[in-house]
Amino acid sequence: MLKSQLPHYSALEPLNYVNPSLFLLTHAKPLLPLRSGPQRQSPKQNLYSHRLRLPARPAVVKASSVASSTEKPLSVKVLVTVQRALGTGLYLERGLDDIADLFGKSLVVELVSAEVDPVTGLEKATIRHYAHKEDAEGDEITYEADFKIPPDFGVIGAIFVENEHHKEMYVKDIVLEGHPIGPLHFVCSSWVNEKDLPDSKRVFFTTKSYLPSNTPEGLKKLREEELKALRGNGVGKRESHERIYDYDVYNDLGDPNKNLEYKRPVLGGKPFPYPRRCRTGRPRASRDPVSESRSLDNYVPRDEAFSALKQATFNASSLNSVLNGLIPALESVSTDNDIRFPHFPAIDDLFDNGVPLPPSKGGWKLATLLPRIIDTIVDSAEDILRFHPPETFDRDKFFWFRDEEFARQTLAGLNPYSLRLVTEWPLKSKLDPAVYGPPESEITGKIIEQQIRGFMTLDEALRKKRLFILDYHDLLLPYVAKVRKLKGTTLYGSRTLFFLHSDSTLKPLAIELTRPPIDGKPQWKKVFTPFWDATSVWLWRIAKAHVLAHDSGYHQLVSHWLRTHCCVEPYIIASNRQLSAMHPIYRLLHPHFRYTMEINALARQALINANGIIETSFSPGKYSMEFSSVAYKEQWQFNLEALPADLINRGLAVEDPNAPHGLKLTIEDYPFANDGLILWDAIKDWATEYVNYYYPDPSLVKSDEELQAWWTEIRTEGHADKKDEPWWPVLNTPEDLISIVSTIMWVTSGHHAAVNFGQYSFGGYFPNRPSIARINVPVEEKNKEKWEYFVKKPENVLLETFPTQLQATKVTAVLNILSSHSPDEEYMGKDMEQAWADEPFIKGAFEKFSGRLKELEGIIDKRNADPSLKNRYGAGVAPYELLKPESEPGVTGKGVPYSISI
């Protein structure tokens, strides 16, 4: 809301009705232009602006002077809860602000009627008063204001809050007490700028939700103006205090000004299609005109930044401490970045003895900032990086070694999104054979039948849906030559085949690694199988390490980053630009969007950036983000992001109206799918009741201009590179809307939880999921010396294939933080939004939804205790709990928050 959209008149001056034109010339504050930054127009320009744009209301009425000839004014109390912001303990003007608080001159509250004047048809005059600081307990401060509301004022639909402090304030909520229909709630959860900056005067609406067509007349202009302010004008550098949402391409991942080696291609547009991110407006890099310059201040709209409470909890601060403190410390003590672990007991030392860290600089200690993973040895006051053993490793130190566990984790592990049913035989690449060599796979029917001998023939296995594949062949093969030019890493295209037993367990059958024609050498491909002679067994283990590195890279870049963090950001931008805060769909989705833009900005700064953690420690190195763009182009479709559609698309389920959830799973004991479908059904049923309540007439969906603009903008701007795809759902009916919002709600909650909060459990002991493979398999080239070394020391070759000590330690630290829940985590279905609680039908629907999630907790516990479900129960097997709705703080391997906040 623009600061001076309404006339600004002191509540201390007596005021009766005045002529609007005379009021403008004598009392109005200048109207701020639609522009970025704190600049103001000249007085002459402002006066002219007022003449062009008359205020929405004729006057601001002093609260104490309201009178009525027939009825008494209504006495109400407004309570404004403000949360202390970090870093506001001492500042230059603090004394002035304390004095203003003492005299009750620091916060102005203004009541807005939802009705218009029946005579003039104009919005009614607002009622304005200072709020006095009444109470300060812990991190919260309460301001109070007493109002007398005239009988003809009508329903209160909004409140203005104006901050007269010299520092911004975080307004948590506002409650109006004394109203005949009960307390009125205004959920703010928003930063209000300090005086003399735009947005120091903000509008907040009640929790009553309205479609645009049902908006009370007195609130229509405010609704429109607030959205207009949030869209901005698309130019200029965004400042940290602004709330403007706009789109841009990913042109800020590189840092060519620092080093031309850090130049990276723009993601978004041709040739690398990509979702859009939030526009920051930073200037272009001086050494590369297509790249945006980098800054430590990575703009996100002010209300997308972590709240004061979130800032104070360990997740946000810990991730910063790891990226900006711990990792530089580890790099400073590493004498050789290429040193491998000398033996497996040295890997165990990460959990037993830890890694000594250099003395902390600047008077702070990493052990204080990261108490969960860093210990301090009392005798020497030395900081030691020591990890807690992941549950998988704690239950069975050799879990990672077993083929059965390798297969089980495709169904109940960190990346349950890649396994597909084999529907065509023989396997064949779709890449250009003139560039990449013969397309036919070397995995023949003979090899498969040799592995499944005694069970069935190949034809039977295909017909009975018993063959499954992890297929990273065509996605990775174009990057093999590029990646092999990088130091300390290698790459293949890969295929891995599995056979489904009747008890729903999978047996690995074969791994194929492929190198395309490179450096004058022809295509090379090799099939590895789990034979029983020593040489074949070790080659199989090394081939598995390569496949796991491929799966780790795909998981991190596609299943995790692309499909959740990255593809969700356009939904958030479009929601804030096109859906009013009082729109019911905005209020349904808003909990699913909290803090995602902030964590995405942090990722662009230090995780997915040039020479960041992903590039230096994961396959495919510096081409990682470019690779995720290729996956977006080839694989991502909005209509396949819903869980049932995803399962059907991968051949893991077929539609069956007689089966639970309307789907028959191809693999009955598929923990991710079984738990996920219960969660999906609960989400969709909650969305169905919610949408049908607000759209009782199907025509309301098509006629809702905000909703239609929102969906159009998601497709044409947020995902502009796919705007013409035929698979985008239409939005004409409530059923269409239910499907769309259910998909978004699932991706931000269940999908993200399934691929995020198990990262430390499955990747903390890195041999289970090496993030990168560093050397070629020993049979690729005929090198007598290397072959003899492999025959004599196969364990050493496996250790050399694994990440280096520095890579593994850095990745383990980051995975530990990314897998953690904050103490203030907002779990789906646990706490009810005030807007839902204030609408009885919606409150009942949410309570039903919450109850179903509590039932899911018990169902998951029961399943994990069932010996017949071998993919989630067994000797040394960690239970599958990633979709268990609630969790304790820390690394737990369970818990489904509403949003992507870490």
Side-chain angles (χ1 to χ4, degrees):
M1 179 66 205
L2 299 180
K3 178 177 179 180
S4 301
Q5 183 190 343
L6 299 181
H8 189 121
Y9 192 84
S10 171
L12 299 182
E13 300 178 41
L15 178 67
N16 294 315
Y17 175 77
V18 295
N19 179 281
S21 299
L22 179 62
F23 180 84
L24 287 174
L25 295 175
T26 57
H27 293 291
K29 275 191 176 181
L31 183 69
L32 292 180
L34 279 172
R35 60 188 297 185
S36 63
Q39 301 95 337
R40 296 180 180 272
Q41 294 172 308
S42 68
K44 183 177 180 181
Q45 288 174 316
N46 280 314
L47 180 59
Y48 184 64
S49 297
H50 275 292
R51 286 173 176 168
L52 286 178
R53 295 177 59 197
L54 292 178
R57 289 159 178 80
V60 178
V61 181
K62 178 188 170 190
S64 59
S65 65
V66 175
S68 171
S69 59
T70 59
E71 299 179 54
K72 292 183 179 179
L74 176 67
S75 296
V76 300
K77 183 185 294 292
V78 174
L79 305 175
V80 182
T81 302
V82 173
Q83 215 159 36
R84 297 183 191 273
L86 298 182
T88 57
L90 293 173
Y91 52 92
L92 186 62
E93 301 90 347
R94 175 62 186 268
L96 296 175
D97 285 349
D98 286 346
I99 293 173
D101 274 343
L102 183 64
F103 284 95
K105 298 292 183 64
S106 56
L107 192 69
V108 183
V109 176
E110 200 168 330
L111 306 184
V112 181
S113 174
E115 302 173 7
V116 294
D117 190 300
V119 177
T120 66
L122 300 174
E123 290 86 351
K124 293 182 178 180
T126 61
I127 308 175
R128 165 191 172 99
H129 209 303
Y130 277 112
H132 300 260
K133 182 178 178 181
E134 293 293 336
D135 186 34
E137 182 176 346
D139 292 329
E140 294 186 350
I141 304 169
T142 301
Y143 290 84
E144 294 185 10
D146 294 311
F147 286 85
K148 291 188 181 298
I149 303 178
D152 60 351
F153 189 73
V155 177
I156 296 169
I159 286 185
F160 282 105
V161 173
E162 188 166 5
N163 179 15
E164 294 290 337
H165 280 132
H166 293 82
K167 279 286 185 180
E168 66 177 355
M169 62 171 56
Y170 186 81
V171 181
K172 183 180 177 183
D173 57 44
I174 302 170
V175 178
L176 188 149
E177 295 180 345
H179 200 282
I181 63 173
L184 290 181
H185 295 99
F186 302 77
V187 179
C188 308
S189 300
S190 184
W191 298 93
V192 180
N193 283 337
E194 61 265 33
K195 62 192 301 183
D196 299 324
L197 279 180
D199 268 358
S200 65
K201 181 175 181 178
R202 290 282 308 283
V203 64
F204 298 105
F205 300 104
T206 66
T207 56
K208 180 71 174 175
S209 296
Y210 297 100
L211 299 182
S213 59
N214 296 333
T215 308
E217 291 296 322
L219 303 178
K220 283 186 174 179
K221 288 184 180 178
L222 287 181
R223 182 171 186 147
E224 294 169 2
E225 289 294 327
E226 174 72 349
L227 282 173
K228 188 175 181 180
L230 290 169
R231 293 179 196 131
N233 57 11
V235 299
K237 181 178 180 292
R238 298 273 68 87
E239 303 294 339
S240 60
H241 62 265
E242 294 179 325
R243 297 187 300 131
I244 295 173
Y245 296 78
D246 206 353
Y247 301 96
D248 206 347
V249 294
Y250 279 74
N251 60 354
D252 64 339
L253 300 179
D255 194 0
N257 284 353
K258 183 177 181 180
N259 190 325
L260 284 176
E261 286 292 316
Y262 297 160
K263 180 181 176 180
R264 296 293 181 268
V266 174
L267 303 185
K270 296 181 179 179
F272 300 111
Y274 217 57
R276 299 304 191 255
R277 64 168 175 95
C278 181
R279 179 183 175 275
T280 65
R282 292 193 299 256
R284 298 301 175 95
S286 59
R287 303 180 72 180
D288 179 26
V290 301
S291 297
E292 188 174 87
S293 59
R294 290 180 63 79
S295 170
L296 293 178
D297 298 322
N298 210 353
Y299 168 81
V300 295
R302 191 66 186 100
D303 286 344
E304 300 298 333
F306 291 138
S307 69
L309 181 60
K310 192 76 173 179
Q311 285 178 324
T313 59
F314 69 83
N315 264 12
S317 59
S318 293
L319 186 55
N320 271 306
S321 298
V322 165
L323 296 176
N324 300 311
L326 176 59
I327 288 176
L330 289 170
E331 292 171 341
S332 71
V333 297
S334 177
T335 57
D336 185 350
N337 292 349
D338 296 325
I339 293 178
R340 67 169 173 85
F341 286 91
H343 40 67
F344 280 93
I347 300 174
D348 296 352
D349 270 352
L350 290 174
F351 310 103
D352 297 333
N353 299 317
V355 179
L357 295 174
S360 301
K361 297 180 181 179
W364 53 269
K365 291 180 68 64
L366 279 169
T368 303
L369 297 173
L370 298 167
R372 291 185 300 108
I373 60 175
I374 296 179
D375 300 327
T376 297
I377 298 178
V378 178
D379 294 340
S380 63
E382 183 181 28
D383 283 349
I384 296 291
L385 173 64
R386 181 164 29 222
F387 298 106
H388 299 286
E391 184 178 6
T392 46
F393 179 71
D394 199 38
R395 283 174 174 254
D396 178 1
K397 289 189 176 182
F398 301 102
F399 79 109
W400 65 278
F401 213 54
R402 295 184 288 109
D403 286 350
E404 297 81 5
E405 181 65 11
F406 168 53
R408 188 189 75 87
Q409 287 183 27
T410 64
L411 302 172
L414 184 56
N415 183 29
Y417 273 101
S418 284
L419 191 72
R420 305 182 73 92
L421 177 70
V422 176
T423 56
E424 297 180 359
W425 194 269
L427 303 175
K428 192 174 181 180
S429 171
K430 293 180 174 61
L431 298 174
D432 185 356
V435 177
Y436 299 103
E440 295 80 13
S441 170
E442 291 288 320
I443 303 178
T444 63
K446 181 179 178 181
I447 291 174
I448 296 301
E449 291 197 335
Q450 189 175 29
Q451 291 295 316
I452 61 174
R453 185 187 306 148
F455 291 104
M456 60 187 65
T457 65
L458 172 62
D459 288 341
E460 287 177 309
L462 291 168
R463 188 174 67 254
K464 293 181 177 180
K465 299 183 178 182
R466 295 293 189 93
L467 287 185
F468 296 84
I469 188 170
L470 286 181
D471 192 350
Y472 299 126
H473 184 277
D474 284 11
L475 278 177
L476 289 175
L477 204 62
Y479 284 92
V480 170
K482 296 178 182 180
V483 169
R484 288 191 174 202
K485 292 179 181 178
L486 304 177
K487 180 184 177 183
T489 187
T490 190
L491 193 65
Y492 295 95
S494 70
R495 298 183 179 102
T496 307
L497 268 291
F498 300 87
F499 174 75
L500 177 66
H501 288 292
S502 57
D503 63 358
S504 286
T505 59
L506 290 171
K507 167 185 169 63
L509 301 178
I511 291 172
E512 180 181 35
L513 300 180
T514 304
R515 180 202 69 199
I518 185 174
D519 298 330
K521 301 175 184 177
Q523 182 195 69
W524 177 90
K525 59 181 67 171
K526 174 73 175 176
V527 178
F528 302 86
T529 56
F531 275 116
W532 298 274
D533 66 282
T535 301
S536 296
V537 166
W538 274 105
L539 287 174
W540 168 255
R541 289 169 181 161
I542 292 168
K544 261 201 317 185
H546 283 270
V547 169
L548 287 166
H550 302 164
D551 192 64
S552 293
Y554 183 90
H555 158 263
Q556 205 63 262
L557 292 165
V558 182
S559 301
H560 185 196
W561 162 257
L562 174 68
R563 291 179 64 179
T564 63
H565 289 261
C566 183
C567 285
V568 164
E569 187 151 335
Y571 311 153
I572 303 172
I573 298 172
S575 296
N576 284 277
R577 286 169 55 87
Q578 300 300 340
L579 298 179
S580 166
M582 67 173 77
H583 198 292
I585 299 304
Y586 179 90
R587 285 178 163 152
L588 174 67
L589 294 178
H590 184 254
H592 292 272
F593 294 157
R594 289 185 183 123
Y595 312 128
T596 300
M597 292 180 73
E598 174 87 341
I599 200 68
N600 286 1
L602 185 57
R604 299 202 311 274
Q605 189 177 72
L607 284 173
I608 62 173
N609 60 305
N611 209 43
I613 296 298
I614 296 296
E615 284 198 359
T616 57
S617 303
F618 282 83
S619 296
K622 67 177 286 187
Y623 301 100
S624 292
M625 295 307 294
E626 183 180 317
F627 169 78
S628 74
S629 167
V630 173
Y632 175 71
K633 178 182 179 181
E634 298 294 332
Q635 297 182 343
W636 189 85
Q637 295 184 197
F638 181 88
N639 64 320
L640 298 180
E641 290 301 286
L643 178 59
D646 170 77
L647 294 172
I648 292 170
N649 179 57
R650 291 190 285 123
L652 273 297
V654 293
E655 290 187 82
D656 182 349
N658 298 317
H661 321 290
L663 293 179
K664 178 176 175 57
L665 293 179
T666 313
I667 302 175
E668 291 184 8
D669 181 16
Y670 185 180
F672 162 71
N674 281 309
D675 296 354
L677 285 170
I678 296 177
L679 181 57
W680 165 265
D681 279 357
I683 290 171
K684 189 170 183 181
D685 288 348
W686 155 234
T688 298
E689 292 199 69
Y690 189 97
V691 168
N692 286 337
Y693 177 78
Y694 285 105
Y695 294 91
D697 183 344
S699 66
L700 291 172
V701 170
K702 203 168 184 179
S703 63
D704 186 335
E705 61 267 24
E706 285 185 8
L707 190 69
Q708 294 298 328
W710 167 76
W711 184 234
T712 297
E713 190 166 289
I714 284 173
R715 298 183 343 260
T716 62
E717 296 193 48
H719 287 273
D721 300 323
K722 287 181 174 278
K723 64 181 179 181
D724 297 321
E725 296 288 352
W727 41 254
W728 282 106
V730 296
L731 181 52
N732 292 331
T733 67
E735 290 73 22
D736 298 334
L737 180 56
I738 290 164
S739 176
I740 289 167
V741 297
S742 297
T743 298
I744 293 173
M745 293 158 72
W746 161 258
V747 169
T748 57
S749 57
H751 180 152
H752 181 258
V755 299
N756 183 76
F757 293 106
Q759 291 191 82
Y760 189 71
S761 298
F762 291 103
Y765 186 75
F766 75 87
N768 183 59
R769 290 185 66 81
S771 61
I772 197 168
R774 297 188 302 120
I775 64 171
N776 299 336
V777 291
V779 292
E780 181 183 334
E781 297 178 3
K782 295 180 180 179
N783 184 305
K784 183 178 179 181
E785 183 179 343
K786 289 183 178 180
W787 179 255
E788 289 181 352
Y789 178 69
F790 163 68
V791 171
K792 291 179 180 179
K793 295 286 185 179
E795 179 183 325
N796 286 356
V797 175
L798 181 59
L799 288 166
E800 288 171 7
T801 304
F802 284 159
T804 65
Q805 292 189 38
L806 180 60
Q807 286 173 327
T809 307
K810 290 194 300 184
V811 169
T812 303
V814 171
L815 296 186
N816 184 284
I817 300 302
L818 295 181
S819 302
S820 301
H821 289 291
S822 295
D824 67 328
E825 194 78 86
E826 298 171 40
Y827 296 103
M828 192 162 61
K830 185 176 182 182
D831 296 321
M832 191 181 308
E833 296 290 300
Q834 190 64 53
W836 306 341
D838 287 348
E839 196 69 62
F841 178 86
I842 299 300
K843 179 182 179 181
F846 178 82
E847 288 173 343
K848 188 189 303 182
F849 172 61
S850 181
R852 292 184 67 177
L853 297 191
K854 287 182 173 62
E855 289 177 6
L856 178 56
E857 296 261 348
I859 291 171
I860 290 175
D861 286 341
K862 184 178 180 181
R863 286 173 172 173
N864 287 328
D866 186 346
S868 69
L869 301 178
K870 297 182 180 179
N871 289 320
R872 60 196 310 156
Y873 178 93
V877 173
Y880 186 78
E881 297 184 312
L882 288 173
L883 293 177
K884 202 170 183 180
E886 289 191 41
S887 171
E888 306 79 38
V891 179
T892 63
K894 59 184 175 182
V896 182
Y898 278 107
S899 66
I900 304 163
S901 59
I902 188 64

